[in-house]
Structures are given as C-alpha cells and as structure tokens.
Amino acid sequence: MSDSKRLELFSVCDQAESVGIGGHVRPDGDCVGSCLACYLFLKRKYPDKRIELFLEKPAEIFCCIAGFDEINSEFPEREPFDVFFVVDCAADRLGEAESYFRAAKYTVNIDHHISNENGCGIENVIDVNASSTAELMYGLIGKENLDAGIAKAIYIGMIHDTGVFHYSCTSPKTLRIAADLIEYGFDFPKIIDETFYEKTYVQNQILGRAVLESFLFMDGKCIVGSISRKTMEFYGAEPKDLDGIVNQLRITKGVEVAIFLYETDTLTYKVSLRSCGGVDVARIAAFFGGGGHVRAAGCTMTGTFHDVVNNLSAEIAKQL
Ligand code: AMP
Ligand code: MN
Ligand code: MN
C-alpha cells in the first residue's frame, strides 16, 4: 500500500468533528484488536475530536489492550457521525451500530473477508490476502506511527486470526510485521496464553461435551458438533465461551470440513465452518447468507438440527 493511500485514508478525518468506529457482532480478537488500533491511533492523531468505538461487549480476555475500557457497548440514538469506520466486516454485520453507518456523512470500510470483496463504504480498503484486519491496519497506520499500545492491539488481532501464526493466511509479511511488533517489548508469550489458549473450566467442559457428542459423516471427511441452548444454560455459558470448538473438531484426522452449530434461538443456529483447504467454506456460508474466508466462515441457519446439517452436507458434497 502506498504512503499516499494511507495518508488519504485517515485524512478524511481532518475536517470531521465526530468519528465513529464499529466492528462485527460477537467481536473476535482480530475485530477487537484492529478496532482498538484504529481508535488509539485516531485519538492520538486528533486529540480534540470526538472519537468513539462501538462493539458488542468483547470477551474480558482483551482487557489487556489499551482503550478497552473506553469501548461503548450501548448504541443510543445520536447525531450522525461525520466519518464512520467499519472494521473487519461489512455493514450488515455491525449489529446495532449499523444505524450509525447508515446515517454517517462519510464511510470507510477496512476488511479482509473475501465475502466483502467490494467493500461497503464510500472509501474501501479490502485486502483478502491480509491474514487479519489487524495486519491491514498496521499498513494503514504505518510502522513509524505505532506506539506500544497500538502495537499490542495489532499483535493480538494477528494472533487470533492466524491461530498464532499457523493458519495458511499467515504470510512472510505477517511474520515480518509480527517481528516489528514484538520489538515493543510486550510479554507476548503471556498474551498468547491468556488471550488465545487459556480456557475457563466451563469453556473446557463445553468443549469436551461438543467433542464427545460430535459425529463423522461423508466417509469421515466431515465432522459436526453442536451445543444446545439447554446445555448453554446448564453451564451458564455465553456464545464467546464456544470460540475454538470448531478448530478442535477440524484437526480430527481425515476430516476435510468441520461444522460447529449452536442454538441462538428456537430452530435458529449460528454455524461455524472450517476447512483444511480442499473445500471453500466461504462459498458455502455465502450460499446460506453468511460469509468469511476460504478456510473459515460462518452463517446463521434456520430449521431443525437435522435440516441444517443436511442442507450444509448437500453444499459440501458438491465440492468434495
Ligand atoms: P466464526 O465461525 O463465527 O468464527 O467465523 C469464521 C469467519 O467467518 C470469521 O472470519 C468471521 O468473521 C466470518 N463470518 C462468520 N459469520 C459470518 C457472516 N454471517 N457473514 C460474514 N462473515 C462471517
Ligand atoms: Mn473477525
Ligand atoms: Mn478478521
């Protein structure tokens, strides 16, 4: 990305009085990290402007990122923003913040999802080859404009979307950026443990349940696991306690596609899909109204558990 592109992008805020930033519902590490990096940078660059970040309440594990306590998780009606940034998603996944995007005078979309190739903003920075939106944010902010807080936010975003630099979205560039970031001296082994690997007792119990009750189909090429609302209630679990289950299912030997479902409402399931590369799950998710990446995607589907699995199987079978 050229320097002029970078300057152009954030200079849209020069004339603005109010700037809003929003990311997707059920914000993951990349969403929280890239939104906070953007927020911290804009706050420092424009100390006198009203800059606000809106996200559904993120998991407490991300409280180690500067600015975490300043995230707004309520979405009151308000005057339109002069500029609104949509980060790590398209506008349709902003949840309640979508109304701020619709009303904003100028909009910028920064994302890496293949399902959002064209972007939803007036200005769009979409790079489907970036490992994470955090990696993209690094390029936009520029190495020379980082500080310790921004560096840590970007690093956390990157480790989450790359599975600590092991998914195939990790590129030499990703690792070079990570090298620059750890120069800031934060305790990265601790950050990786505490934000990525560590599970609460309840999270481990639910993971165990989902794995125990999972089953293989299509000659062992697919695996499906699920958690019902009843089980969620039994454990007092929230959706964010289910992160990582689908990744555990995917590494089952012989599996090409892993599916994880949880019930969000009666006959409504949030679906997470993971692939080992042979099947493009972004295409499958997009078919059912969702999106994502070739190897990691998601959507929401209605029907009974069996309807959902059957409908997904039919689409997977077309590719296998
Ligand atoms: P998940 O399975 O929810 O962890 O999502 C896997 C990937 O797909 C992430 O990059 C999500 O941002 C993306 N994704 C999940 N659900 C959707 C959706 N409904 N629309 C677009 N992208 C999605
Ligand atoms: Mn995300
Ligand atoms: Mn992402």
Side-chain angles (χ1 to χ4, degrees), residues 4-320:
S4 61
K5 176 79 189 161
R6 271 166 31 197
L7 291 173
E8 223 176 274
L9 185 80
F10 288 112
S11 66
V12 300
C13 302
D14 285 355
Q15 310 303 324
E17 278 175 22
S18 61
V19 179
I21 304 164
H24 58 78
V25 291
R26 292 183 298 271
D28 53 18
D30 183 34
C31 181
V32 178
S34 54
C35 282
L36 276 169
C38 183
Y39 172 77
L40 293 169
F41 173 67
L42 291 175
K43 286 274 279 191
R44 203 191 62 210
K45 185 170 161 68
Y46 303 106
D48 300 325
K49 294 190 196 290
R50 241 187 16 255
I51 313 226
E52 289 181 72
L53 168 56
F54 296 88
L55 287 176
E56 269 184 11
K57 199 161 171 35
E60 221 23 67
I61 47 173
F62 299 117
C63 68
C64 59
I65 309 176
F68 180 85
D69 294 334
E70 292 160 40
I71 297 172
N72 298 293
S73 294
E74 274 167 29
F75 304 81
E77 238 180 82
R78 48 159 303 132
E79 287 281 290
F81 283 104
D82 294 327
V83 180
F84 195 83
F85 285 85
V86 181
V87 178
D88 194 40
C89 62
D92 60 351
R93 284 180 80 213
L94 282 170
E96 287 189 72
E98 190 176 342
S99 58
Y100 299 154
F101 166 83
R102 300 277 162 224
K105 295 177 191 145
Y106 197 83
T107 55
V108 181
N109 187 195
I110 305 172
D111 192 14
H112 68 129
H113 287 89
I114 197 154
S115 48
N116 183 30
E117 228 170 346
N118 300 319
C120 65
I122 295 172
E123 180 110 32
N124 298 289
V125 181
I126 312 293
D127 181 356
V128 302
N129 296 313
S131 68
S132 49
T133 301
E135 178 174 325
L136 210 46
M137 203 59 84
Y138 173 94
L140 292 169
I141 292 172
K143 183 178 176 174
E144 65 286 4
N145 295 316
L146 296 187
D147 58 34
I150 296 171
K152 190 171 168 186
I154 292 175
Y155 184 82
I156 289 176
M158 288 173 70
I159 60 173
H160 278 259
D161 263 22
T162 61
V164 194
F165 309 113
H166 101 262
Y167 302 154
S168 61
C169 59
T170 308
S171 69
K173 185 177 169 195
T174 312
L175 294 174
R176 286 191 191 101
I177 293 171
D180 285 344
L181 296 172
I182 64 172
E183 297 263 14
Y184 280 90
F186 48 79
D187 189 348
F188 69 85
K190 184 164 178 259
I191 289 173
I192 292 171
D193 260 349
E194 290 182 355
T195 77
F196 193 83
Y197 289 111
E198 205 170 85
K199 300 272 175 233
T200 63
Y201 181 67
V202 160
Q203 286 165 346
N204 264 336
Q205 294 259 301
I206 295 179
L207 168 69
R209 281 285 294 263
V211 174
L212 184 70
E213 291 162 16
S214 68
F215 59 86
L216 294 167
F217 60 105
M218 286 189 185
D219 285 336
K221 289 200 171 63
C222 295
I223 190 166
V224 61
S226 67
I227 292 290
S228 67
R229 266 202 297 178
K230 226 170 91 192
T231 306
M232 298 273 284
E233 278 160 23
F234 176 81
Y235 288 105
E238 290 179 57
K240 55 191 165 215
D241 294 318
L242 309 174
D243 283 356
I245 295 179
V246 70
N247 295 323
Q248 184 63 40
L249 295 171
R250 185 193 65 87
I251 56 173
T252 310
K253 195 168 168 61
V255 160
E256 287 285 335
V257 179
I259 304 170
F260 175 69
L261 312 174
Y262 73 89
E263 230 182 334
T264 51
D265 215 328
T266 311
L267 297 180
T268 305
Y269 289 89
K270 166 70 180 80
V271 178
S272 290
L273 300 167
R274 296 293 183 272
S275 155
C276 295
V279 172
D280 176 353
V281 290
R283 236 166 75 200
I284 296 171
F287 183 82
F288 294 109
H293 313 280
V294 172
R295 291 175 185 239
C299 57
T300 297
M301 291 173 70
T302 52
T304 65
F305 173 81
H306 288 282
D307 291 338
V308 170
V309 175
N310 283 337
N311 291 336
L312 286 166
S313 307
E315 287 310 302
I316 295 167
K318 287 183 192 165
Q319 290 193 46
L320 270 177

